[in-house]
Amino acid sequence: MSAVAGPYPGPDWLERYRSRVNADRELGVIGRWFTATFMLTFGDNRHAVKVVEGRIAEVVVAPRFDVRATFGFRAPVEVWAKFLSPNPPPLYHDFFAMLMRVPAFVLEGDSLAAMQNARALHRMMNIMRETGAPDA
Amino acid sequence: MPDFEPIAGRYLTVAIDGVDHRIFLEEAGRGLPLLCLHTAGADSRQYRHLLNDAWVTERFRVIAFDMPWHGRSNPPDEWWLTRYRLTTAGYLATIRAVWQALGLDRPVVLGCSMGGAIVLKVAADYQDELTGIVGLESAAYAPGRYNELLHHPAIHGGELCASYTYGLNAPTSPEASRRENWWYYSQSGPGVYQGDVHYYSLDWDAREDIKTIDTARCRVALLTGEYDYSCTPEQTEQAAASIPGASLTIMEGMGHFPMIENYRDFRPYLLEALKQML
């Protein structure tokens, strides 16, 4: 597989991810109270994920400072690539695992708000893994 | 005929450090006593596959009890005036009290996670009265799991604790089994998981104690899953290195909850460890 063109993870992946989240039966059950904007930062590439009742309403790529986010996850692209790989190595298979054991993976912002939404947020992050690698 | 399982549950009042506690325990089988210790914030339901395994119950009297504050065991009187905090000493006293109340003769003590940790101390302190220990996900020192948000009035603790521990399963374990453990975790009382982790991550350090374990007197089998990030394979390897004669197995494709997350794949490892005890 050749190197991914353009910024990681790229618009095709983001659309696939959004479609999967918004079609997810489990989030349909548990997502009702998850309304927040959170940041996903892949290396230098920032994305604001606007969530309304467990569905992704919009992903703002490279948001300016007028897009407010409550919390976010930030890591180098190499870390995200392991997380999104089909068979992630131990310690890279779950965001809570990375928060404990991969120092380069960080939770930014209001961790209380993140943990208030832990169940739906965890599901949403696991759907990132189910979406697969950006170049798959 | 009703489709009963061979597991029988009972209640037992037992004095722990002089205070009566009403404990729930379940058991099945006959033979060498096998006392099973659940993980932090969970209960003995995690051992349902082991309790239903005929190979095991034909050779062992399997007993799994809910720790005080957990599952169907009550907290002690005036619990509402206490902030639940498990300690190494309190955990050891609880195990010893149940062991003595049941009159278990030279048992095997098996535990997972915080239970896998304390069995190391059980072996160090009581090695002349044991047949052996089976440590699942055992570390002599395991900092890093404690955090303040695990018990917070603005957070649903059941959902957080269950989600916080869900990734400790291997991603390859059957989803229904991983979800079952999620459900058990979601049911623990407010602050109980945090109180257990207080022991596990802040109070627990048996790195010196384990050097005294003589495996000629007390057999030691340690098994850890490769996906366990709470007690990593390296942490168990460090413990095993301090216990000459201990057997060490790193279980491929397994996480932190082998007896509940993937019993089918865990079973060959378990039987191998139990054969060492017979």
Side-chain angles (χ1 to χ4, degrees):
Chain A
M1 192 61 68
S2 60
V4 179
Y8 188 96
D12 291 350
W13 187 90
L14 289 170
E15 189 47 45
R16 272 195 288 148
Y17 175 56
R18 180 181 170 180
S19 298
R20 288 189 81 108
V21 165
N22 290 354
D24 188 62
R25 285 175 56 199
E26 186 176 357
L27 279 173
V29 175
I30 65 174
R32 180 179 168 209
W33 297 102
F34 186 15
T35 295
T37 297
F38 69 98
M39 212 65 84
L40 289 175
T41 306
F42 305 81
D44 293 330
N45 303 324
R46 297 166 66 245
H47 306 74
V49 182
K50 295 187 172 181
V51 178
V52 177
E53 295 188 359
R55 305 292 189 208
I56 296 177
E58 184 184 8
V59 179
V60 182
V61 179
R64 292 158 50 99
F65 66 83
D66 55 355
V67 178
R68 297 167 60 198
T70 310
F71 62 90
F73 294 107
R74 171 192 289 274
V77 168
E78 311 85 81
V79 170
W80 286 111
K82 287 182 183 176
F83 179 66
L84 296 176
S85 64
N87 296 299
L91 313 185
Y92 292 86
H93 61 285
D94 185 274
F95 86 72
F96 278 120
M98 295 195 290
L99 284 178
M100 183 170 176
R101 297 292 184 193
V102 180
F105 183 90
V106 294
L107 170 55
E108 301 176 308
D110 187 352
S111 56
L112 175 67
M115 293 304 107
Q116 285 176 316
N117 292 292
R119 186 179 183 186
L121 176 65
H122 196 240
R123 176 65 193 147
M124 207 172 273
M125 295 299 283
N126 284 342
I127 294 172
M128 288 182 74
R129 288 206 51 245
E130 295 174 9
T131 304
D135 55 355
Chain B
M1 282 288 286
D3 189 17
F4 283 123
E5 298 180 13
I7 305 171
R10 299 189 72 177
Y11 291 91
L12 171 74
T13 295
V14 59
I16 302 167
D17 289 331
V19 177
D20 277 350
H21 288 71
R22 185 171 189 257
I23 296 283
F24 176 77
L25 60 86
E26 46 194 329
E27 70 171 282
R30 300 176 65 173
L32 185 59
L34 177 63
L35 187 62
C36 299
L37 311 175
H38 60 72
T39 65
D43 59 62
S44 64
R45 286 177 293 178
Q46 291 179 317
Y47 287 103
R48 71 181 185 92
H49 299 296
L50 201 156
L51 284 155
N52 274 311
D53 188 322
W55 188 96
V56 178
T57 54
E58 284 165 10
R59 293 162 179 81
F60 294 89
R61 177 188 174 195
V62 186
I63 301 151
F65 70 97
D66 296 343
M67 289 283 290
W69 301 79
H70 299 68
R72 292 173 70 170
S73 293
N74 279 357
D77 191 25
E78 296 197 330
W79 59 268
W80 57 93
L81 301 176
T82 304
R83 187 177 185 193
Y84 174 64
R85 285 283 183 261
L86 188 64
T87 62
T88 301
Y91 196 3
L92 196 63
T94 301
I95 296 162
R96 185 66 172 162
V98 173
W99 172 358
Q100 291 186 317
L102 296 175
L104 305 180
D105 183 29
R106 296 192 69 85
V108 176
V109 184
L110 177 153
C112 184
S113 181
M114 75 168 192
I118 199 71
V119 294
L120 298 170
K121 179 74 171 160
V122 171
D125 285 13
Y126 299 110
Q127 49 197 302
D128 289 327
E129 298 173 64
L130 287 164
T131 295
I133 59 163
V134 178
L136 309 177
E137 322 304 323
S138 293
Y141 181 58
R145 291 295 288 164
Y146 184 88
N147 78 67
E148 288 295 336
L149 297 181
L150 293 170
H151 186 204
H152 189 290
I155 294 176
H156 190 298
E159 290 201 344
L160 175 59
C161 293
S163 299
Y164 185 61
T165 50
Y166 188 70
L168 288 167
N169 296 288
T172 46
S173 288
E175 182 172 12
S177 301
R178 289 183 278 143
R179 297 276 191 169
E180 184 177 322
N181 198 50
W182 191 99
W183 187 252
Y184 298 159
Y185 264 85
S186 73
Q187 295 177 337
S188 75
V192 170
Y193 175 75
Q194 188 192 51
D196 286 341
V197 172
H198 171 267
Y199 143 76
Y200 184 66
S201 285
L202 300 179
D203 190 50
W204 173 246
D205 184 352
R207 287 175 291 182
E208 290 303 314
D209 301 81
I210 61 175
K211 293 175 182 171
T212 67
I213 299 172
D214 177 0
T215 54
R217 290 188 283 168
C218 169
R219 296 165 214 165
V220 176
L222 304 178
L223 304 89
T224 290
E226 69 167 335
Y227 278 95
D228 191 346
Y229 66 86
S230 175
C231 168
T232 62
E234 292 73 23
Q235 287 172 281
T236 306
E237 285 162 7
Q238 287 168 11
S242 294
I243 312 171
S247 77
L248 168 68
T249 306
I250 304 304
M251 300 181 284
E252 286 182 19
M254 196 62 71
H256 188 69
F257 307 103
M259 66 289 184
I260 187 66
E261 72 173 79
N262 188 351
Y263 190 73
R264 189 199 66 180
D265 288 356
F266 170 56
R267 188 171 185 270
Y269 294 117
L270 171 70
L271 267 47
E272 209 50 51
L274 292 179
K275 285 173 188 169
Q276 295 177 40
M277 305 294 152
L278 292 170

